PDB file of all heavy atoms in Angstrom:
ATOM      1  N   TRP Y  21      42.503  38.970-177.810  1.00 96.00           N
ATOM      2  CA  TRP Y  21      43.418  38.280-178.669  1.00 96.00           C
ATOM      3  C   TRP Y  21      44.821  38.488-178.232  1.00 96.00           C
ATOM      4  O   TRP Y  21      45.722  37.729-178.622  1.00 96.00           O
ATOM      5  CB  TRP Y  21      43.215  38.724-180.151  1.00 96.00           C
ATOM      6  CG  TRP Y  21      41.791  38.686-180.611  1.00 96.00           C
ATOM      7  CD1 TRP Y  21      41.009  39.789-180.793  1.00 96.00           C
ATOM      8  CD2 TRP Y  21      41.002  37.487-180.732  1.00 96.00           C
ATOM      9  NE1 TRP Y  21      39.703  39.367-181.179  1.00 96.00           N
ATOM     10  CE2 TRP Y  21      39.674  37.982-181.099  1.00 96.00           C
ATOM     11  CE3 TRP Y  21      41.213  36.174-180.633  1.00 96.00           C
ATOM     12  CZ2 TRP Y  21      38.632  37.127-181.375  1.00 96.00           C
ATOM     13  CZ3 TRP Y  21      40.203  35.317-180.868  1.00 96.00           C
ATOM     14  CH2 TRP Y  21      38.957  35.779-181.284  1.00 96.00           C
ATOM     15  N   ILE Y  22      45.065  39.540-177.483  1.00 96.00           N
ATOM     16  CA  ILE Y  22      46.403  39.879-176.994  1.00 96.00           C
ATOM     17  C   ILE Y  22      46.424  39.937-175.480  1.00 96.00           C
ATOM     18  O   ILE Y  22      45.628  40.664-174.886  1.00 96.00           O
ATOM     19  CB  ILE Y  22      46.868  41.321-177.548  1.00 96.00           C
ATOM     20  CG1 ILE Y  22      46.596  41.436-179.024  1.00 96.00           C
ATOM     21  CG2 ILE Y  22      48.337  41.569-177.160  1.00 96.00           C
ATOM     22  CD1 ILE Y  22      47.435  40.587-179.889  1.00 96.00           C
ATOM     23  N   VAL Y  23      47.366  39.312-174.840  1.00 94.00           N
ATOM     24  CA  VAL Y  23      47.604  39.354-173.381  1.00 94.00           C
ATOM     25  C   VAL Y  23      49.029  39.798-173.229  1.00 94.00           C
ATOM     26  O   VAL Y  23      49.939  39.008-173.344  1.00 94.00           O
ATOM     27  CB  VAL Y  23      47.269  38.103-172.680  1.00 94.00           C
ATOM     28  CG1 VAL Y  23      47.613  38.199-171.143  1.00 94.00           C
ATOM     29  CG2 VAL Y  23      45.860  37.588-172.879  1.00 94.00           C
ATOM     30  N   ASP Y  24      49.259  41.088-173.068  1.00 94.00           N
ATOM     31  CA  ASP Y  24      50.596  41.657-172.995  1.00 94.00           C
ATOM     32  C   ASP Y  24      51.115  41.845-171.540  1.00 94.00           C
ATOM     33  O   ASP Y  24      51.205  42.942-171.032  1.00 94.00           O
ATOM     34  CB  ASP Y  24      50.618  42.968-173.718  1.00 94.00           C
ATOM     35  CG  ASP Y  24      52.026  43.540-173.947  1.00 94.00           C
ATOM     36  OD1 ASP Y  24      53.025  42.784-173.759  1.00 94.00           O
ATOM     37  OD2 ASP Y  24      52.110  44.760-174.210  1.00 94.00           O
ATOM     38  N   GLU Y  25      51.370  40.731-170.889  1.00 93.00           N
ATOM     39  CA  GLU Y  25      51.851  40.783-169.519  1.00 93.00           C
ATOM     40  C   GLU Y  25      53.248  41.439-169.409  1.00 93.00           C
ATOM     41  O   GLU Y  25      53.585  42.033-168.415  1.00 93.00           O
ATOM     42  CB  GLU Y  25      51.909  39.346-168.873  1.00 93.00           C
ATOM     43  CG  GLU Y  25      50.573  38.760-168.679  1.00 93.00           C
ATOM     44  CD  GLU Y  25      49.808  39.403-167.503  1.00 93.00           C
ATOM     45  OE1 GLU Y  25      50.422  39.627-166.451  1.00 93.00           O
ATOM     46  OE2 GLU Y  25      48.669  39.747-167.692  1.00 93.00           O
ATOM     47  N   ALA Y  26      54.082  41.312-170.370  1.00 94.00           N
ATOM     48  CA  ALA Y  26      55.392  41.886-170.381  1.00 94.00           C
ATOM     49  C   ALA Y  26      55.381  43.437-170.692  1.00 94.00           C
ATOM     50  O   ALA Y  26      56.351  44.079-170.512  1.00 94.00           O
ATOM     51  CB  ALA Y  26      56.353  41.216-171.394  1.00 94.00           C
ATOM     52  N   ASP Y  27      54.248  43.935-171.190  1.00 95.00           N
ATOM     53  CA  ASP Y  27      54.077  45.349-171.471  1.00 95.00           C
ATOM     54  C   ASP Y  27      55.091  45.829-172.503  1.00 95.00           C
ATOM     55  O   ASP Y  27      55.798  46.804-172.236  1.00 95.00           O
ATOM     56  CB  ASP Y  27      54.110  46.161-170.142  1.00 95.00           C
ATOM     57  CG  ASP Y  27      53.538  47.575-170.358  1.00 95.00           C
ATOM     58  OD1 ASP Y  27      52.637  47.723-171.209  1.00 95.00           O
ATOM     59  OD2 ASP Y  27      53.950  48.518-169.667  1.00 95.00           O
ATOM     60  N   ILE Y  28      55.183  45.085-173.599  1.00 96.00           N
ATOM     61  CA  ILE Y  28      56.133  45.413-174.602  1.00 96.00           C
ATOM     62  C   ILE Y  28      55.540  45.925-175.904  1.00 96.00           C
ATOM     63  O   ILE Y  28      56.266  46.373-176.773  1.00 96.00           O
ATOM     64  CB  ILE Y  28      57.090  44.210-174.876  1.00 96.00           C
ATOM     65  CG1 ILE Y  28      56.287  42.985-175.282  1.00 96.00           C
ATOM     66  CG2 ILE Y  28      57.997  43.901-173.725  1.00 96.00           C
ATOM     67  CD1 ILE Y  28      57.113  41.758-175.747  1.00 96.00           C
ATOM     68  N   LEU Y  29      54.218  45.805-176.022  1.00 96.00           N
ATOM     69  CA  LEU Y  29      53.552  46.166-177.295  1.00 96.00           C
ATOM     70  C   LEU Y  29      52.923  47.551-177.138  1.00 96.00           C
ATOM     71  O   LEU Y  29      52.354  47.917-176.047  1.00 96.00           O
ATOM     72  CB  LEU Y  29      52.487  45.121-177.698  1.00 96.00           C
ATOM     73  CG  LEU Y  29      52.955  43.742-177.960  1.00 96.00           C
ATOM     74  CD1 LEU Y  29      51.827  42.766-178.142  1.00 96.00           C
ATOM     75  CD2 LEU Y  29      53.990  43.705-179.107  1.00 96.00           C
ATOM     76  N   SER Y  30      52.981  48.389-178.192  1.00 96.00           N
ATOM     77  CA  SER Y  30      52.316  49.571-178.227  1.00 96.00           C
ATOM     78  C   SER Y  30      50.849  49.432-178.292  1.00 96.00           C
ATOM     79  O   SER Y  30      50.339  48.464-178.721  1.00 96.00           O
ATOM     80  CB  SER Y  30      52.866  50.494-179.342  1.00 96.00           C
ATOM     81  OG  SER Y  30      52.359  50.020-180.585  1.00 96.00           O
ATOM     82  N   ARG Y  31      50.079  50.466-177.867  1.00 96.00           N
ATOM     83  CA  ARG Y  31      48.579  50.430-177.983  1.00 96.00           C
ATOM     84  C   ARG Y  31      48.184  50.257-179.372  1.00 96.00           C
ATOM     85  O   ARG Y  31      47.180  49.637-179.697  1.00 96.00           O
ATOM     86  CB  ARG Y  31      48.027  51.682-177.343  1.00 96.00           C
ATOM     87  CG  ARG Y  31      47.969  51.564-175.875  1.00 96.00           C
ATOM     88  CD  ARG Y  31      46.994  52.631-175.365  1.00 96.00           C
ATOM     89  NE  ARG Y  31      47.454  53.246-174.189  1.00 96.00           N
ATOM     90  CZ  ARG Y  31      47.058  54.344-173.690  1.00 96.00           C
ATOM     91  NH1 ARG Y  31      46.075  55.053-174.306  1.00 96.00           N
ATOM     92  NH2 ARG Y  31      47.477  54.839-172.583  1.00 96.00           N
ATOM     93  N   LEU Y  32      48.868  50.972-180.312  1.00 96.00           N
ATOM     94  CA  LEU Y  32      48.627  50.933-181.690  1.00 96.00           C
ATOM     95  C   LEU Y  32      48.726  49.592-182.282  1.00 96.00           C
ATOM     96  O   LEU Y  32      47.822  49.004-182.960  1.00 96.00           O
ATOM     97  CB  LEU Y  32      49.467  51.919-182.550  1.00 96.00           C
ATOM     98  CG  LEU Y  32      49.250  51.950-183.976  1.00 96.00           C
ATOM     99  CD1 LEU Y  32      47.841  52.420-184.367  1.00 96.00           C
ATOM    100  CD2 LEU Y  32      50.291  52.783-184.674  1.00 96.00           C
ATOM    101  N   THR Y  33      49.794  48.868-181.928  1.00 96.00           N
ATOM    102  CA  THR Y  33      50.029  47.534-182.367  1.00 96.00           C
ATOM    103  C   THR Y  33      48.972  46.570-181.741  1.00 96.00           C
ATOM    104  O   THR Y  33      48.410  45.740-182.474  1.00 96.00           O
ATOM    105  CB  THR Y  33      51.482  46.989-181.992  1.00 96.00           C
ATOM    106  OG1 THR Y  33      52.385  47.881-182.612  1.00 96.00           O
ATOM    107  CG2 THR Y  33      51.680  45.625-182.360  1.00 96.00           C
ATOM    108  N   GLU Y  34      48.712  46.743-180.495  1.00 96.00           N
ATOM    109  CA  GLU Y  34      47.626  45.858-179.895  1.00 96.00           C
ATOM    110  C   GLU Y  34      46.286  46.048-180.556  1.00 96.00           C
ATOM    111  O   GLU Y  34      45.616  45.096-180.838  1.00 96.00           O
ATOM    112  CB  GLU Y  34      47.570  46.216-178.393  1.00 96.00           C
ATOM    113  CG  GLU Y  34      48.542  45.549-177.542  1.00 96.00           C
ATOM    114  CD  GLU Y  34      48.258  45.668-176.072  1.00 96.00           C
ATOM    115  OE1 GLU Y  34      47.117  45.277-175.663  1.00 96.00           O
ATOM    116  OE2 GLU Y  34      49.147  46.086-175.274  1.00 96.00           O
ATOM    117  N   GLY Y  35      45.957  47.248-180.896  1.00 96.00           N
ATOM    118  CA  GLY Y  35      44.710  47.544-181.595  1.00 96.00           C
ATOM    119  C   GLY Y  35      44.652  46.949-182.952  1.00 96.00           C
ATOM    120  O   GLY Y  35      43.679  46.266-183.319  1.00 96.00           O
ATOM    121  N   ASN Y  36      45.783  47.130-183.684  1.00 96.00           N
ATOM    122  CA  ASN Y  36      45.810  46.536-185.072  1.00 96.00           C
ATOM    123  C   ASN Y  36      45.768  45.053-184.989  1.00 96.00           C
ATOM    124  O   ASN Y  36      45.044  44.429-185.815  1.00 96.00           O
ATOM    125  CB  ASN Y  36      47.108  47.012-185.769  1.00 96.00           C
ATOM    126  CG  ASN Y  36      47.058  48.508-186.175  1.00 96.00           C
ATOM    127  OD1 ASN Y  36      46.021  49.094-186.201  1.00 96.00           O
ATOM    128  ND2 ASN Y  36      48.214  49.060-186.358  1.00 96.00           N
ATOM    129  N   LEU Y  37      46.520  44.437-184.126  1.00 96.00           N
ATOM    130  CA  LEU Y  37      46.551  42.973-184.034  1.00 96.00           C
ATOM    131  C   LEU Y  37      45.203  42.449-183.535  1.00 96.00           C
ATOM    132  O   LEU Y  37      44.729  41.479-184.107  1.00 96.00           O
ATOM    133  CB  LEU Y  37      47.601  42.485-183.055  1.00 96.00           C
ATOM    134  CG  LEU Y  37      49.052  42.656-183.472  1.00 96.00           C
ATOM    135  CD1 LEU Y  37      50.045  42.304-182.283  1.00 96.00           C
ATOM    136  CD2 LEU Y  37      49.322  41.871-184.670  1.00 96.00           C
ATOM    137  N   SER Y  38      44.558  43.128-182.633  1.00 96.00           N
ATOM    138  CA  SER Y  38      43.291  42.673-182.175  1.00 96.00           C
ATOM    139  C   SER Y  38      42.198  42.731-183.344  1.00 96.00           C
ATOM    140  O   SER Y  38      41.395  41.808-183.494  1.00 96.00           O
ATOM    141  CB  SER Y  38      42.730  43.570-181.002  1.00 96.00           C
ATOM    142  OG  SER Y  38      43.517  43.247-179.853  1.00 96.00           O
ATOM    143  N   ASP Y  39      42.302  43.789-184.138  1.00 96.00           N
ATOM    144  CA  ASP Y  39      41.360  43.893-185.300  1.00 96.00           C
ATOM    145  C   ASP Y  39      41.633  42.748-186.252  1.00 96.00           C
ATOM    146  O   ASP Y  39      40.695  42.111-186.713  1.00 96.00           O
ATOM    147  CB  ASP Y  39      41.565  45.216-185.989  1.00 96.00           C
ATOM    148  CG  ASP Y  39      41.049  46.442-185.161  1.00 96.00           C
ATOM    149  OD1 ASP Y  39      40.314  46.167-184.187  1.00 96.00           O
ATOM    150  OD2 ASP Y  39      41.389  47.533-185.498  1.00 96.00           O
ATOM    151  N   ARG Y  40      42.890  42.530-186.660  1.00 96.00           N
ATOM    152  CA  ARG Y  40      43.192  41.450-187.597  1.00 96.00           C
ATOM    153  C   ARG Y  40      42.833  40.111-187.051  1.00 96.00           C
ATOM    154  O   ARG Y  40      42.254  39.235-187.800  1.00 96.00           O
ATOM    155  CB  ARG Y  40      44.685  41.435-187.853  1.00 96.00           C
ATOM    156  CG  ARG Y  40      45.175  42.492-188.709  1.00 96.00           C
ATOM    157  CD  ARG Y  40      46.657  42.152-189.129  1.00 96.00           C
ATOM    158  NE  ARG Y  40      47.401  43.377-189.171  1.00 96.00           N
ATOM    159  CZ  ARG Y  40      48.759  43.442-189.174  1.00 96.00           C
ATOM    160  NH1 ARG Y  40      49.474  42.348-189.125  1.00 96.00           N
ATOM    161  NH2 ARG Y  40      49.350  44.636-189.257  1.00 96.00           N
ATOM    162  N   LEU Y  41      43.111  39.835-185.777  1.00 96.00           N
ATOM    163  CA  LEU Y  41      42.851  38.469-185.235  1.00 96.00           C
ATOM    164  C   LEU Y  41      41.336  38.249-185.024  1.00 96.00           C
ATOM    165  O   LEU Y  41      40.801  37.146-185.238  1.00 96.00           O
ATOM    166  CB  LEU Y  41      43.614  38.279-183.939  1.00 96.00           C
ATOM    167  CG  LEU Y  41      45.133  38.345-184.047  1.00 96.00           C
ATOM    168  CD1 LEU Y  41      45.838  38.219-182.689  1.00 96.00           C
ATOM    169  CD2 LEU Y  41      45.658  37.281-184.982  1.00 96.00           C
ATOM    170  N   GLY Y  42      40.640  39.346-184.726  1.00 96.00           N
ATOM    171  CA  GLY Y  42      39.199  39.240-184.582  1.00 96.00           C
ATOM    172  C   GLY Y  42      38.566  39.000-185.996  1.00 96.00           C
ATOM    173  O   GLY Y  42      37.602  38.181-186.099  1.00 96.00           O
ATOM    174  N   ASP Y  43      39.045  39.659-187.008  1.00 96.00           N
ATOM    175  CA  ASP Y  43      38.609  39.416-188.349  1.00 96.00           C
ATOM    176  C   ASP Y  43      38.767  37.946-188.807  1.00 96.00           C
ATOM    177  O   ASP Y  43      37.992  37.326-189.386  1.00 96.00           O
ATOM    178  CB  ASP Y  43      39.215  40.400-189.393  1.00 96.00           C
ATOM    179  CG  ASP Y  43      38.716  41.804-189.255  1.00 96.00           C
ATOM    180  OD1 ASP Y  43      37.627  42.006-188.573  1.00 96.00           O
ATOM    181  OD2 ASP Y  43      39.319  42.731-189.762  1.00 96.00           O
ATOM    182  N   LEU Y  44      40.026  37.483-188.481  1.00 94.00           N
ATOM    183  CA  LEU Y  44      40.377  36.148-188.799  1.00 94.00           C
ATOM    184  C   LEU Y  44      39.395  35.144-188.185  1.00 94.00           C
ATOM    185  O   LEU Y  44      39.004  34.182-188.814  1.00 94.00           O
ATOM    186  CB  LEU Y  44      41.835  35.842-188.358  1.00 94.00           C
ATOM    187  CG  LEU Y  44      42.307  34.411-188.626  1.00 94.00           C
ATOM    188  CD1 LEU Y  44      42.477  34.077-190.071  1.00 94.00           C
ATOM    189  CD2 LEU Y  44      43.642  34.164-187.861  1.00 94.00           C
ATOM    190  N   ALA Y  45      39.104  35.420-186.922  1.00 95.00           N
ATOM    191  CA  ALA Y  45      38.182  34.464-186.166  1.00 95.00           C
ATOM    192  C   ALA Y  45      36.826  34.537-186.792  1.00 95.00           C
ATOM    193  O   ALA Y  45      36.135  33.451-186.954  1.00 95.00           O
ATOM    194  CB  ALA Y  45      38.109  34.904-184.661  1.00 95.00           C
ATOM    195  N   LYS Y  46      36.398  35.674-187.202  1.00 96.00           N
ATOM    196  CA  LYS Y  46      35.049  35.745-187.830  1.00 96.00           C
ATOM    197  C   LYS Y  46      35.003  35.107-189.226  1.00 96.00           C
ATOM    198  O   LYS Y  46      33.995  34.400-189.514  1.00 96.00           O
ATOM    199  CB  LYS Y  46      34.624  37.289-188.030  1.00 96.00           C
ATOM    200  CG  LYS Y  46      34.206  37.951-186.761  1.00 96.00           C
ATOM    201  CD  LYS Y  46      33.902  39.408-187.000  1.00 96.00           C
ATOM    202  CE  LYS Y  46      33.721  40.131-185.731  1.00 96.00           C
ATOM    203  NZ  LYS Y  46      33.638  41.607-185.859  1.00 96.00           N
TER     204      LYS Y  46
END
């Protein structure tokens, strides 16, 4: 759900966003 080519997001944020966006898709 996240492609961070600029390397600006923390791992925690990426994990939280991936969980939220995955839940939204389901």
Side-chain angles (χ1 to χ4, degrees):
W21 310 110
I22 312 293
V23 178
D24 187 17
E25 289 290 313
D27 198 27
I28 56 175
L29 299 174
S30 70
R31 280 197 219 164
L32 179 63
T33 299
E34 279 192 52
N36 289 339
L37 290 173
S38 289
D39 290 345
R40 283 191 217 165
L41 298 176
D43 289 344
L44 177 69
K46 284 178 190 170

